[in-house]
Amino acid sequence: MARFVKKAGKSHDKRIHLEHPREAVYWSKKFEVSSIQLLEAVKATGSNRVERVARYLSENVFHF
């Protein structure tokens, strides 16, 4: 039986799933931040929604 493997950062995915290492790598590269900065942004916003994290990162001097 084949095992389901989720691809990181699908275009229709609106959430960042940091429990999956591929997701952390994908979104860190996408936003051009470290995985620690990404984790801090998710914690600071209290949400794993992509648009909230992106807004937080753009307002806090992180460039992507």
Side-chain angles (χ1 to χ4, degrees), residues 6-41:
K6 181 182 184 291
K7 291 185 180 181
K10 292 181 183 177
S11 61
H12 67 276
D13 195 2
K14 299 196 185 300
R15 297 196 182 269
I16 300 170
H17 302 282
L18 292 177
E19 64 274 8
H20 301 289
R22 287 186 199 171
E23 289 273 317
V25 170
Y26 174 84
W27 290 109
S28 293
K29 287 181 181 179
K30 176 84 172 170
F31 293 136
E32 297 179 2
V33 297
S34 71
S35 56
I36 292 172
Q37 289 171 316
L38 181 64
L39 176 62
E40 289 173 354

Side-chain angles (χ1 to χ4, degrees), residues 15 38-49 52-53 56:
R15 297 196 182 269
L38 181 64
L39 176 62
E40 289 173 354
V42 170
K43 284 182 178 180
T45 60
S47 174
N48 65 344
R49 295 189 56 85
R52 288 186 186 176
V53 173
Y56 175 85

